[in-house]
Amino acid sequence: MASIVFGAFAVIGLIVAVVLFLVLRRKPHTRAGAYVSAAFVLLASGMLAMGSISFASLESAGLRTFTPEERAAAVRCDAAVLGAEQTSNKLNGRYVWLLRLRVAPQTGSPYEIERTARLTSSMGERLERGDAVLSCLVDPADHTRIEIADLA
C-alpha cells in the first residue's frame, strides 16, 4: 500500500514539474525560476519514486496471505524458527525482521527458507530465541509461498 502512495505522489510531482516548467519559462522574468523550481520538484519526485521502489521491495518480500481459493488448496505445515534478525527498516511503525524457517509440510520433506515479516518487538524477541514453532500453510505447487497466520 505504501508503495502505491509513494508512486502516485511521484507521478503527481512529475506532472507538476512539467506543467510548472512549461508555464514559467514562457515569460522572461520567470524563466530562471522555471528551471530552479522544476529541478527541485523533479528531485523530490525522484526521491518519492525511490521510496516507492523501496516499499515495493519490502512488501513483495514479506509474508503474503493467501486468497480463499489458495487457502483451501494449501497444505498444512509447521515452520520452526531457526533464527530471527531485526533489520533497520520500519514499515507502518513495526520493524521488519528477517526470519530463517524450517518448513515441515505434512507431505514431503522439510526445507529451509528465509522470509521477512513485520513484527512487534515482543514477537520479534520471542522468535529471536529460535525455539518457536508456528503453524502455517504452504502452496502445494510452489513450496516457497507460505502463509503464517500468527505473523499476518
Side-chain angles (χ1 to χ4, degrees):
M1 178 66 185
S3 63
I4 295 170
V5 172
F6 273 79
F9 280 123
V11 169
I12 290 169
L14 180 66
I15 293 169
V16 167
V18 169
V19 170
L20 189 66
F21 177 75
L22 292 176
V23 169
L24 290 179
R25 77 180 177 108
R26 291 184 182 171
K27 299 176 185 173
H29 63 281
T30 59
R31 188 165 289 148
Y35 290 106
V36 172
S37 61
F40 280 116
V41 175
L42 286 173
L43 180 66
S45 295
M47 290 171 50
L48 287 169
M50 289 173 42
S52 173
I53 293 168
S54 296
F55 278 113
S57 67
L58 284 173
E59 292 166 357
S60 70
L63 293 169
R64 294 181 196 85
T65 57
F66 289 165
T67 63
E69 295 83 25
E70 292 172 331
R71 195 171 286 119
V75 176
R76 294 205 168 276
C77 61
D78 290 324
V81 179
L82 301 176
E85 181 181 332
Q86 182 178 356
T87 65
S88 60
N89 298 325
K90 262 189 167 181
L91 185 61
N92 295 335
R94 290 183 175 180
Y95 280 103
V96 177
W97 288 71
L98 178 65
L99 304 175
R100 276 193 1 257
L101 305 169
R102 178 182 301 265
V103 179
Q106 289 179 345
T107 59
S109 59
Y111 57 94
E112 292 183 15
I113 60 171
E114 286 189 355
R115 284 290 179 267
T116 58
R118 290 181 318 117
L119 303 175
T120 61
S121 297
S122 60
M123 176 63 94
E125 290 170 2
R126 190 184 84 157
L127 295 179
E128 195 172 26
R129 291 192 296 264
D131 58 354
V133 176
L134 306 168
S135 62
C136 64
L137 297 172
V138 64
D139 185 354
D142 182 7
H143 290 292
T144 61
R145 292 198 59 222
I146 64 170
E147 176 186 80
I148 302 175
D150 294 340
L151 303 181

